[in-house]
Amino acid sequence: MLILVKSLSWTALTAMIGAALWRYWLAPDERPSAAVVWASAAALALLALAELWLTLTQVIPTADPALWWRYATTTAHGHAVAWRLVAAALFALATTLLPRRGWPVALVLGVWLCFGFSRLSHAAAMGGSVPLLVDLAHLLGAATWAGAVWWVGLRRGAPGLPELERVSRLATWVVAGLALTGVLSALVHAGDPPRFFASTYAAALAVKLGLVAVTLGLAAANRFVLLPRARAGGDGIRSALHAESVLLAAVLVATAWLSTSPVPHGAVAEVDVLENARRVIEHLTR
């Protein structure tokens, strides 16, 4: 159930990030649907409260509403959720009401909203600011890529060529950033390679990477085959964007599975990614 809640939470977050991209960059002359933005913000709020309850009942199965309220108001988890709720409301206001020149405000609020997720991540539990910032950058990149594809590919009517060109350029840079931050995030938890590769965490990561690889293949076909065809008046790219949207949603589900899997640390959790990379290479080449 917690995987489902996290998957839906990241879906709502991605929809909001995509709406902001649509408003301020992808299609600045067309405002996003306020109903979609506010429904996503409301879903984030309800799912965050459900996440608190599910997390608490994993530890105390007989928890009651009074204990839930105490947990929500006195713990770091509860404070992060409160942070997330305020950020979601302000981000929705900025996306639906601010003029185009207000994009810096929306950018700051979007980062703030994503930070409300990252501060509860495995990376945040490692201690130190670097793993947390890497996780935040990865989440921002994933939500940006998926949100842009969803808003361009799932809109009513055929996607316009300017929007297709912009989302293609955006995806190229975002994917490069995701590759870097993804490798760094994985290495943070790979200080004990035998334990790492035998863990549920590694299995979830492998599923996620497989889905990402398929998505990248489709995105490359969009960029190098279907986009030039669209410039010449051909079709096919809309169906491909629909398929890419489904794959990106599946990636979010795999990420939720990954985030709820126990981190495979040994007796000492080593966050030196270079040293961890050396250990992984040594383990794989034995």
Side-chain angles (χ1 to χ4, degrees), residues 20-274:
L21 285 168
W22 184 264
R23 171 69 186 92
Y24 294 108
W25 187 59
L26 290 171
D29 296 327
E30 183 179 341
R31 289 182 180 273
S33 167
V36 172
V37 174
W38 282 105
S40 298
L44 271 179
L46 293 174
L47 290 164
L49 299 178
E51 179 186 319
L52 283 172
W53 178 261
L54 289 171
T55 302
L56 178 61
T57 54
Q58 283 184 335
V59 181
I60 308 175
T62 58
D64 55 30
L67 183 59
W68 173 86
W69 178 251
R70 188 159 67 252
Y71 179 76
T73 55
T74 61
T75 65
H77 189 177
H79 296 160
V81 164
W83 175 301
R84 195 186 304 172
L85 299 185
V86 173
L90 293 176
F91 189 43
L93 283 170
T95 301
T96 54
L97 298 179
L98 285 183
R100 187 182 181 188
R101 63 180 178 273
W103 69 265
V105 176
L107 175 62
V108 170
L109 291 172
V111 173
W112 180 16
L113 177 57
C114 288
F115 185 68
F117 286 84
S118 288
R119 65 186 295 190
L120 295 175
S121 65
H122 288 326
M126 295 296 294
S129 59
V130 174
L132 175 58
L133 292 176
V134 169
D135 183 85
L136 176 59
H138 193 74
L139 176 58
L140 280 167
T144 296
W145 180 16
V149 170
W150 290 357
W151 275 86
V152 172
L154 302 179
R155 61 172 299 188
R156 291 182 180 179
L161 188 57
E163 290 84 7
L164 291 173
E165 297 277 7
R166 289 170 186 148
V167 77
S168 179
R169 291 197 303 270
L170 177 69
T172 300
W173 290 101
V174 167
V175 166
L178 285 173
L180 175 61
T181 55
V183 169
L184 292 175
S185 292
L187 287 175
V188 163
H189 303 296
D192 185 351
R195 182 189 291 261
F196 178 83
F197 286 106
S199 66
T200 304
Y201 186 93
L205 180 60
V207 171
K208 178 182 175 179
L209 291 177
L211 289 168
V212 169
V214 175
T215 308
L216 285 174
L218 183 55
N222 288 343
R223 174 68 177 84
F224 297 110
V225 178
L226 297 177
L227 182 56
R229 183 184 300 174
R231 294 189 188 110
D235 56 11
I237 196 167
R238 187 179 186 190
S239 296
L241 285 172
H242 289 170
E244 188 175 344
S245 297
V246 172
L247 285 169
L248 287 167
V251 170
L252 293 181
V253 175
T255 303
W257 177 24
L258 183 67
S259 72
T260 56
S261 300
V263 288
H265 296 149
V268 177
E270 176 63 68
V271 298
D272 184 338
V273 294
L274 294 179

